[in-house]
Amino acid sequence: MRMKLASILVMVCLAVSPLMSQVQHLEQNWTEEDRQWFYTTPQGSKLIPYAWAVALERADSAELFVTGLERFGFLPNGAGNLPVGLVQDGQHLGMTCAACHTNQVAYRGTTWQIDGGPTNADLWEFLDDLGDSLRATTAGASSPKFRQFAQRVLGSGDTPANRAKLWRELNAFEDYYSGFIAASRPTTVWGKSRTDAFGMIFNRVTAIDLKVPANSRRPNQPVSYPFLWDTGWHNKVQWNGSAPNSFAIERLARNVGEVLGVFAEVELRKPTLLHWYYASTANRRNLLEIEDRLADLRSPKWPAALGAIDTVRAARGQTLYNQQCVSCHKIATPGRHQDIVMTPLTEVNTDPWMARVAHERMAQTGVLKGVKEYLIFGPRMTAQEAAGTITFNAVIGAILSPVTLSGSTTPSVAAASSTAPLPGADADRDDPDRARLRALLFTEPRRGDVASAPTDPSDTAPRAQLETMLKALGARHTTTRNTDASLAYKARPLDGIWATAPYLHNGSVPSLWDLLLPVAQRPKKFYVGNRELDPINVGFVSTPGEGLFLFDTSIHGNSNNGHEWGTTLSNEERRDLVEYLKSL
């Protein structure tokens, strides 16, 4: 597929905000090189062929879809032609970690960019709008939208034969994509700043990659995006603490699972003696490198422009914190391993659905029936297993793979990528990054590891070493899955908490002040999406405004109940505690 991209890229560049130069970066122990690398490093996400993404028009106008992606809450990136978190990943448009973990905080005309903070973007609106654009473009082979699309994609090769071929490929892709959107459309609207990551990962792996459409479920347990600073040093991650995180192999497993939820693909088929793995587009080397850089990221400190912290109040608040909070929310120890407190649902009493669904959702195993649970060991899977078990099996198979796919395992996506053959479901290639991947896993203990991994970089060692490490990982996964820890929420350290509103795991409380109130006094409805900070109550301004999302706590998955520690404090004591929380 040939294309003249120059004119389109010029139009895309116009979408970059002229105000980008006015955005300030707080000290977070990162260089500009670290920042841009995080924003733009691919992780194997294959959302849509890139040439198509930059040629599509919006459904309701002739404007290009990729123009002004800030309308979804993505942040402009002055160093590139795509916003922070979207990247050309090989021949596809893909998402990076930064898409969900970068935000801005504004106050009286000053804006600070927060690296590792929870995004303000509306991911579902972005995916849904892309589906609308595809559907409008495939409305007819002679429609103006398809004619313009074909001219942009084919350029001088816009012949009747090539246009007919492109029409078939685009329709095949639209069928696949619209099916994904229809099967995954939530009834609990996520809105800005949230996603149901587990629901999307389970749908992608068990319904699309496993090719069992009946496994798809509506992703109706949206949660806030967790903030990333210090995460690499925690022994557990995810809101429900389901992912052990003390070793490089554990972090790789968690991140492979993450990228499978944002359009990386994995080829799930019955393992054989010669094909004992699952080829995947997940870029394992980059995932390890990203994790390693994030180990240096630190929380942003409260800027003086937001108003000086009242040190007398903060001192009183620290005493209250030590009495009311520190038993669960320990003080952060950046750069050092830290065990995290898991608070059972029976104690915290916050919305239970994320933890329950992640723990209880079941799925058909399809072609994986009879495969060992941990691929190389463990009991054989029956016709139905926990969706988490199937997903973990897929993750292990992707980690074990000696190849990384550069193309798509979905036929319609692979066909659309290029007129030249691309690696796909039956065309594995040797991974040119295998040497670096081995070094990262075996010879370079990652920052944050509590102990170094086995050290033998020889060509014959990786599978045996991986088997040893994965058996340990599987045992830890089994222990976590089969205990009450699966029905608990993580109480992480609160450094930088001022920049991460709204609060609770599902984003159901707009400010720290509201969180310290009894449940009956917390807002039942409020607006999300404003980046203007309220420095008194410490949260984003939550009054009505254009483009904002109305959060309704009465809807399934949106409960603001629970976490009533501190609710017996007087108003003066609450102010003291909030003042201290600013200083963390």
Side-chain angles (χ1 to χ4, degrees):
M1 179 180 295
R2 301 196 309 269
M3 182 177 184
K4 295 181 178 179
L5 291 176
S7 61
I8 294 176
L9 292 182
V10 168
M11 296 178 69
V12 175
C13 288
L14 293 177
V16 177
S17 169
L19 299 178
M20 188 64 186
S21 61
Q22 301 177 22
V23 173
Q24 300 181 24
H25 294 274
L26 297 173
E27 170 55 42
Q28 292 190 257
N29 198 42
W30 259 17
T31 66
E32 180 61 24
E33 178 187 358
D34 289 329
R35 181 175 298 117
Q36 285 301 326
W37 193 87
F38 175 65
Y39 291 170
T40 60
T41 295
Q43 54 178 347
S45 171
K46 308 295 181 184
L47 174 57
I48 181 175
Y50 185 77
W52 292 9
V54 297
L56 277 173
E57 294 178 354
R58 296 177 63 175
D60 57 358
S61 75
E63 186 176 23
L64 292 177
F65 175 79
V66 292
T67 300
L69 290 175
E70 294 89 344
R71 66 188 184 274
F72 301 112
F74 295 114
L75 301 176
N77 186 2
N81 63 338
L82 289 171
V84 171
L86 292 177
V87 67
Q88 183 175 354
D89 193 334
Q91 294 182 352
H92 289 77
L93 179 69
M95 301 178 69
T96 76
C97 293
C100 300
H101 301 286
T102 311
N103 200 14
Q104 290 179 350
V105 173
Y107 183 65
R108 294 184 176 178
T110 300
T111 299
W112 298 273
Q113 191 134 316
I114 309 297
D115 293 325
T119 186
N120 193 47
D122 190 328
L123 178 59
W124 181 262
E125 184 182 11
F126 166 68
L127 297 176
D128 197 25
D129 207 50
L130 176 58
D132 290 342
S133 292
L134 287 166
R135 186 163 53 254
T137 308
T138 55
S142 59
S143 68
K145 281 196 180 296
F146 180 72
R147 288 202 307 269
Q148 291 294 326
F149 174 79
Q151 289 171 10
R152 294 186 183 108
V153 171
L154 298 173
S156 60
D158 186 8
T159 65
N162 286 341
R163 182 172 288 204
K165 181 175 182 292
L166 179 62
W167 171 252
R168 292 192 299 272
E169 292 176 345
L170 182 65
N171 274 271
F173 181 84
E174 196 279 328
D175 285 344
Y176 142 76
Y177 190 85
S178 63
F180 157 71
I181 289 292
S184 297
R185 185 176 298 279
T187 52
T188 298
V189 180
W190 302 348
K192 294 179 181 293
S193 307
R194 299 197 305 169
T195 186
D196 183 352
F198 274 63
M200 294 295 280
I201 291 170
F202 290 164
N203 280 356
R204 292 290 306 180
V205 173
T206 68
I208 294 176
D209 295 321
L210 193 54
K211 298 179 176 61
V212 183
N215 281 336
S216 192
R217 300 287 185 274
R218 293 189 184 277
N220 282 339
Q221 288 69 233
V223 297
S224 294
Y225 299 95
F227 48 102
L228 296 187
W229 46 84
D230 303 335
T231 296
W233 302 91
H234 297 169
N235 67 317
K236 294 179 180 180
V237 293
Q238 306 295 9
W239 284 113
N240 62 344
S242 60
N245 193 55
S246 295
F247 301 98
I249 189 68
E250 294 172 338
R251 290 192 285 280
L252 177 59
R254 179 243 303 167
N255 284 325
V256 168
E258 170 268 323
V259 73
L260 290 179
V262 289
F263 299 94
E265 297 183 15
V266 61
E267 178 199 39
L268 297 180
R269 67 185 193 183
K270 189 84 72 176
T272 65
L273 183 63
L274 297 178
H275 199 291
W276 36 266
Y277 56 87
Y278 306 138
S280 173
T281 65
N283 189 321
R284 294 160 293 172
R285 191 200 74 171
N286 281 359
L287 291 172
L288 283 168
E289 295 276 18
I290 291 168
E291 191 73 31
D292 196 40
R293 293 214 185 194
L294 283 170
D296 286 337
L297 184 67
R298 298 292 179 263
S299 61
K301 298 302 180 184
W302 180 267
L306 289 176
I309 293 175
D310 185 328
T311 55
V312 175
R313 273 196 181 278
R316 294 198 299 262
Q318 182 175 13
T319 299
L320 292 168
Y321 188 90
N322 291 336
Q323 295 170 350
Q324 298 269 359
C325 313
V326 78
S327 60
C328 291
H329 295 285
K330 297 181 179 180
I331 301 300
T333 58
R336 287 168 31 202
H337 176 85
Q338 188 165 20
D339 289 338
I340 300 301
V341 175
M342 295 300 302
T343 309
L345 280 177
T346 53
E347 293 181 21
V348 70
N349 292 315
T350 50
D351 191 282
W353 289 107
M354 181 269 178
R356 295 199 68 86
V357 170
H359 180 61
E360 298 170 358
R361 179 170 162 178
M362 303 296 290
Q364 300 173 39
T365 53
V367 297
L368 298 186
K369 179 182 177 182
V371 173
K372 291 181 178 179
E373 188 170 314
Y374 299 106
L375 196 65
I376 55 177
F377 72 101
R380 296 189 181 277
M381 291 191 286
T382 61
Q384 188 177 63
E385 295 286 347
T389 296
I390 298 171
T391 300
F392 195 64
N393 177 275
V395 165
I396 289 178
I399 290 176
L400 283 173
S401 177
V403 298
T404 297
L405 299 179
S406 62
S408 171
T409 63
T410 301
S412 59
V413 186
S417 303
S418 174
T419 53
L422 277 178
D426 299 310
D428 296 348
R429 64 173 172 83
D430 286 337
D431 185 348
D433 294 328
R434 267 199 296 171
R436 180 63 179 149
L437 182 61
R438 288 199 301 275
L440 289 169
L441 280 172
F442 302 125
T443 65
E444 299 180 21
R446 300 290 82 198
R447 285 169 277 188
D449 284 0
V450 296
S452 56
T455 56
D456 185 350
S458 69
D459 287 340
T460 58
R463 183 185 175 190
Q465 291 185 23
L466 275 170
E467 287 181 356
T468 299
M469 297 171 73
L470 286 169
K471 284 182 179 179
L473 175 58
R476 288 160 65 86
H477 177 261
T478 300
T479 299
T480 299
R481 186 192 65 196
N482 291 336
T483 64
D484 287 342
S486 298
L487 295 176
Y489 288 125
K490 177 181 176 180
R492 64 164 293 161
L494 299 182
D495 51 324
I497 194 66
W498 67 270
T500 67
Y503 298 105
L504 292 185
H505 74 278
N506 61 349
S508 59
V509 179
S511 72
L512 291 177
W513 172 261
D514 294 318
L515 184 60
L516 296 176
L517 294 174
V519 169
Q521 298 178 33
R522 294 173 186 169
K524 298 298 181 281
K525 293 182 180 180
F526 58 93
Y527 286 86
V528 176
N530 197 333
R531 291 194 174 101
E532 186 75 12
L533 194 75
D534 171 0
I536 304 301
N537 295 320
V538 188
F540 295 115
V541 173
S542 57
T543 52
E546 184 179 356
L548 303 183
F549 170 72
L550 178 61
F551 192 109
D552 185 345
T553 61
S554 69
I555 295 174
H556 170 91
N558 288 358
S559 170
N560 65 351
N561 288 340
H563 197 283
E564 293 198 87
W565 292 282
T567 58
T568 59
L569 300 175
S570 69
N571 283 342
E572 281 298 303
E573 289 172 323
R574 290 191 186 100
R575 288 295 174 202
D576 292 343
L577 184 52
V578 168
E579 202 70 11
Y580 174 66
L581 291 172
K582 295 178 185 179
S583 72
L584 293 178

